[in-house]
Amino acid sequence: MERIYSSHPVEYPVGGRKDVGRDVAADWLEACLVKQQPFFGPTVADVERVFKDAELISSLGCGSIINAPVLWAGTTVAALNVLHAEGAYTAHDVDKVLDIARRFTPAIVEAAGE
């Protein structure tokens, strides 16, 4: 997956790539990209279990994550990743992030060059 936006461009530059087959847990891939379901990880332990770069993520003060699949014509074309401090998000925030992903899908698809 190629990054099209970053709030931390030094650590995670736009255009940078994550090898999801190597750097992300298989169950995350299955849920988020294949089954098109959001992933909610409210704790640092959740982030560590799923993402190989969890140490860097944690160093940026992020320990809670919501990943929302971005769908275009029924296909997963991206994942919107929203991170904050551990415990910052609750299960109620997942629907909000899904709504943001839906609303911004055209812009995300355009930025990704799909």
Side-chain angles (χ1 to χ4, degrees):
M1 295 183 87
E2 185 174 338
R3 192 171 299 103
I4 62 170
Y5 174 80
S6 177
S7 59
H8 293 281
V10 171
E11 297 86 353
Y12 288 106
V14 171
R17 299 186 66 81
K18 185 173 276 195
D19 181 339
V20 292
R22 185 190 73 216
D23 299 332
V24 181
D27 62 328
W28 181 92
L29 291 171
E30 177 68 19
C32 197
L33 301 184
V34 176
K35 293 183 178 177
Q36 302 176 333
Q37 300 169 343
F39 171 78
F40 173 48
T43 69
V44 170
D46 295 312
V47 175
E48 289 172 344
R49 185 188 66 72
V50 174
F51 300 100
K52 197 172 209 172
D53 58 342
E55 187 174 325
L56 176 55
I57 292 169
S58 183
S59 77
L60 298 172
C62 299
S64 184
I65 188 167
I66 300 171
N67 304 112
V70 177
L71 310 178
W72 188 254
T75 301
T76 306
V77 295
L80 177 63
N81 308 311
V82 181
L83 296 95
H84 205 313
E86 182 171 37
Y89 299 125
T90 68
H92 299 291
D93 296 313
V94 174
D95 286 336
K96 295 174 190 173
V97 174
L98 286 169
D99 185 51
I100 291 168
R102 280 190 292 271
R103 289 173 187 250
F104 286 93
T105 293
I108 293 168
V109 168
E110 183 179 335
E114 293 291 326

